[in-house]
Amino acid sequence: MNIGIMPAKMRTTVMKLEVVVIPVSNADDAKRFYNGLGWREDADFAFDDGFRVIQFTPPGSSTSIIFGKGVTSAPPGSATGLYLIVSDLEAARQDLLRRGVMVTEAFHGGSDRHVGVDAAYLFGTVRVSGYDPGRRSYLSLASFNDPDGNGWFLQEVTERLPGRVEGDAAFTSRMELASALRRAAAAHDEHEAKTRHYDVNWPDWYADYIVNEQVGKRQ
């Protein structure tokens, strides 16, 4: 009898999500909409047989969207539950409103007889107006649609779940870094109030707080 020996730790193949397909009815209308969001246009390829593929990438995202003509057989507008992660939900909402996008007010999950508060939010079964009462990470959202009705969520994430992010903190915009600094400043004020003395090492405290927050470690 042969007994196989499994390696102590199997190497996992790196798989990076590259694109998400968005079904649209009119490629030009969709292109104008996503251009209007300020997203980066990466490609617009048209072929003699009528096939056309257009690619856009949201600011700071490593994943892009593609749409066009002949790209997918899915009904236009059938893409739902597309999440855009932001560090400041209100700032993101105001940016979209300035661009003429109809975006909802902030909302969070409610509860019903069948699911709990967080589950209701995660699956969209109950919406309660306003931010999550504790302004907890992941639990405050807003939503908007593209011209075909493809549905997008803005999800405020300020502190990642443990193990979700590897390495040190990284920021994709000035606004995201500024938001992290404001949260660190507020937390440091509480820290000094508890210790009742001025923290001369506040830069180190800020740095530790921001990195730990992003990689999911409690301060």
Side-chain angles (χ1 to χ4, degrees):
M1 181 176 64
N2 294 325
I3 300 177
I5 300 176
M6 294 293 290
K9 185 176 182 180
M10 296 182 67
R11 180 175 295 176
T12 301
T13 302
V14 174
M15 299 180 184
K16 298 181 179 181
L17 181 62
E18 183 74 10
V19 295
V20 174
V21 179
I22 307 297
V24 303
S25 59
N26 185 294
D28 289 318
D29 287 345
K31 181 176 178 177
R32 281 190 289 271
F33 177 80
Y34 287 104
N35 252 322
L37 294 184
W39 294 13
R40 187 186 70 229
E41 181 182 341
D42 299 319
D44 185 349
F45 298 129
F47 299 86
D48 293 339
D49 60 359
F51 180 79
R52 183 183 180 189
V53 59
I54 303 169
Q55 177 171 312
F56 277 88
T57 303
S61 175
S62 58
T63 301
S64 305
I65 63 168
I66 61 172
F67 55 85
K69 186 175 181 181
V71 175
T72 176
S73 60
S78 59
T80 59
L82 302 167
Y83 281 74
L84 297 167
I85 303 306
V86 298
S87 60
D88 187 326
L89 181 57
E90 187 56 30
R93 286 189 63 259
Q94 292 304 318
D95 179 59
L96 289 178
L97 290 171
R98 284 192 296 269
R99 296 175 183 275
V101 178
M102 295 182 62
V103 58
T104 69
E105 296 289 337
F107 63 88
H108 62 280
S111 59
D112 60 24
R113 294 181 305 168
H114 306 292
V115 293
V117 173
D118 295 348
Y121 139 69
L122 286 170
F123 296 104
T125 57
V126 180
R127 290 189 182 187
V128 179
S129 180
Y131 288 87
D132 172 70
R135 203 65 182 264
R136 293 170 294 173
S137 192
Y138 295 95
L139 300 185
S140 296
L141 301 97
S143 64
F144 67 95
N145 294 333
D146 74 3
D148 285 290
N150 294 304
W152 293 91
F153 286 105
L154 298 174
Q155 182 181 36
E156 186 175 78
V157 176
T158 55
E159 181 180 352
R160 288 288 185 178
L161 295 172
R164 177 65 178 81
V165 177
E166 296 181 357
D168 289 337
F171 301 94
T172 59
S173 69
R174 175 184 175 278
M175 182 179 71
E176 189 175 13
L177 175 58
S179 294
L181 287 169
R182 282 192 288 270
R183 292 191 300 274
H188 190 260
D189 287 346
E190 294 180 4
H191 166 71
E192 285 191 329
K194 291 178 181 178
T195 59
R196 297 185 178 181
H197 68 79
Y198 173 71
D199 180 12
V200 295
N201 294 317
W202 65 265
D204 295 327
W205 199 98
Y206 271 45
D208 287 341
Y209 181 92
I210 291 172
V211 171
N212 288 338
E213 179 186 64
Q214 195 167 91
V215 301
K217 295 180 180 178
R218 292 290 182 179
Q219 183 73 14

